Amino acid sequence: MDSRDVATAAVRVAVTGNFEEESAVKAEMHDRGIAAAAVNFGGDFISSINKIIERAVVAAKREGLIDAEKGEEGAVAGAAREAVSQLMTKAVGLNVGGKIGIARADHHVSVAVYFSIGMLNLNEVAIGLGHRVV
């Protein structure tokens, strides 16, 4: 299992459209030795940054991807921060909503954020991806 496999899993979980599809992807990943989790988010981009990072860490702990220790929490938080920072120029001043996908295998952890960015029904979609080694 390498970083590319884990990053692909995080993206696949992040882009699922509903809970059933998410569960199926997570089960498929589990069969391949990759643990995965997902959580939704939404709101004004600037005020959502901390919430997105916190939700990624909480979801990873809740689903057993990481232990409650600083190094592992920091790896998820760092990967989430990297993923969010890739979308800052598109999202500043606008509303965002979407899903965070987290995946882990061995010492690889990846976080993908799937954003819908915009206002009203004038939205753009984007994906950010971060990776850390635990």
Side-chain angles (χ1 to χ4, degrees), residues 18 37-38 86 99 107 121 125 132:
N18 56 49
Q86 294 171 7
K99 189 181 281 190
H107 53 272
N121 62 347
V125 293
R132 294 291 185 273

Side-chain angles (χ1 to χ4, degrees), residues 19-120:
F19 183 73
E20 292 77 22
E21 184 182 355
E22 177 186 315
S23 296
V25 170
K26 286 167 49 175
E28 177 190 336
M29 293 301 126
H30 182 266
D31 292 343
R32 294 180 50 215
I34 301 172
V39 63
N40 295 326
F41 66 90
D44 171 68
F45 176 72
I46 296 297
S47 63
S48 294
I49 294 172
N50 285 342
K51 293 176 193 168
I52 292 167
I53 295 167
E54 288 172 4
R55 284 182 180 223
V57 172
V58 169
K61 285 195 299 190
R62 181 187 66 229
E63 298 292 326
L65 276 66
I66 61 170
D67 293 326
E69 62 180 57
K70 288 182 183 178
E72 294 193 0
E73 290 177 353
V76 172
R81 175 80 170 86
E82 172 61 28
V84 170
S85 72
Q86 294 171 7
L87 306 176
M88 281 187 182
T89 56
K90 288 183 180 241
V92 169
L94 298 171
N95 289 318
V96 296
K99 189 181 281 190
I100 306 161
I102 308 111
R104 179 175 185 180
D106 302 321
H107 53 272
H108 296 286
V109 176
S110 288
V111 176
V113 291
Y114 177 69
F115 276 31
S116 176
I117 305 167
M119 55 187 155
L120 304 172

Side-chain angles (χ1 to χ4, degrees), residues 4-15:
R4 187 175 55 182
D5 296 323
V6 177
T8 300
V11 171
R12 286 194 58 206
V13 172
V15 299

